[in-house]
Amino acid sequence: EVQLVDSGGGLVQPGGSLRLSCATSGFIFTNSWMTWVRQAPGKGLQWVASINPDGSDKYYVDSVKGRFTISRDNAKNSLYLQMKGLRVEETAVYYCGDNDLGWGQGTLVTVSS
Amino acid sequence: QAGLTQPPSVSKGLGQTATLTCTGNSNNVGNQGAVWLQQNQGHPPKILSDRDNNRPSGISERVSASRSGNTVSLTITGLQPEDETDYYCSAWDTNIGAWLFGGGTRLTVL
């Protein structure tokens, strides 16, 4: 069974940083593209970033380029999202996973002063 | 990055059939297909249909997906109260290198 456990969310001030983690099991992580999406309160799903299986290719939504970094540790079957320069409008539940795999339970990031 | 187009809402009666649509272009839906996701309030999205229109294990046989050109459709037969929730489509865009999402359709079962 595919398991994806997101963690690392919390309250952060505008301009602050946060690192999200996603622990995975139940599938061959080293063969899988992985993705972060987010959902602001009452809004739809928004793709944030994706990374290929060996970590050599990374893709980002325009609004986070230069501030967010997606990475993975294939030895630990884990995915990460380093977020810097956070904005109030980036308050959302962040989900790890992929549309070909499934999604974790999400972790809430609140950006507020 | 522009998204995929879904109607904001669809309403059908109990036991009836609902068909939800999602339109993209030849860079995404047209050549990659699309995934359908169901999301209940306060829960993560759940995959109902993969890019090849196949149902993952555990998804009801009342659910089916199809594609015609740049539009994908999700059909749910014999509507039940538990089908009343939000549905999203998503497709990888090969031109811009991004997952696109539709704005979501709220299905109401009357």
Side-chain angles (χ1 to χ4, degrees):
Chain A
E1 180 192 0
V2 171
Q3 294 210 351
L4 303 150
V5 180
D6 311 280
S7 63
L11 175 64
V12 61
Q13 292 190 338
S17 299
L18 214 53
R19 187 192 194 215
L20 306 183
S21 299
C22 176
T24 78
S25 62
F27 64 101
I28 304 174
F29 184 76
T30 51
N31 286 353
S32 302
W33 280 75
M34 295 298 295
T35 293
W36 288 97
V37 300
R38 63 188 177 188
Q39 188 169 37
K43 302 295 185 182
L45 296 165
Q46 182 190 32
W47 171 74
V48 175
S50 293
I51 187 169
N52 70 339
D54 69 7
S56 59
D57 288 330
K58 304 175 184 181
Y59 300 84
Y60 301 93
V61 66
D62 286 346
S63 62
V64 309
K65 286 178 180 176
R67 298 186 299 118
F68 288 16
T69 302
I70 188 172
S71 63
R72 64 193 297 159
D73 185 335
N74 284 352
K76 295 182 178 179
N77 290 341
S78 293
L79 177 72
Y80 307 99
L81 185 67
Q82 177 68 53
M83 304 184 292
K84 299 179 180 179
L86 281 160
R87 303 167 179 168
V88 170
E89 59 268 28
E90 293 176 318
T91 292
V93 175
Y94 285 70
Y95 297 101
C96 78
D98 194 77
N99 277 332
D100 293 326
L101 196 62
W103 298 98
Q105 86 287 354
T107 186
L108 176 62
V109 172
T110 302
V111 185
S112 174
S113 55
Chain B
Q1 286 105 338
L4 308 176
T5 301
Q6 296 183 250
S9 63
V10 169
S11 297
K12 289 288 184 182
L14 193 65
Q16 290 188 330
T17 296
T19 298
L20 312 182
T21 60
C22 167
T23 301
N25 61 39
S26 59
N27 294 319
N28 41 69
V29 175
N31 71 6
Q32 295 289 305
V35 173
W36 282 98
L37 304 163
Q38 179 191 57
Q39 188 180 32
N40 292 304
Q41 181 94 1
H43 291 270
K46 178 172 71 174
I47 299 171
L48 294 182
S49 176
D50 67 18
R51 292 194 249 188
D52 295 319
N53 301 320
N54 297 316
R55 279 189 313 272
S57 173
I59 300 302
S60 170
E61 291 181 355
R62 297 187 296 108
V63 173
S64 63
S66 62
R67 179 169 69 89
S68 177
N70 297 331
T71 297
V72 289
S73 300
L74 182 74
T75 299
I76 307 174
T77 60
L79 284 170
Q80 300 297 309
E82 59 266 29
D83 297 324
E84 183 168 293
T85 189
D86 296 324
Y87 295 83
Y88 295 90
C89 62
S90 183
W92 180 258
D93 191 294
T94 55
N95 188 47
I96 60 177
W99 276 107
L100 302 182
F101 283 87
T105 296
R106 172 67 58 88
L107 175 62
T108 300
V109 180
L110 302 171

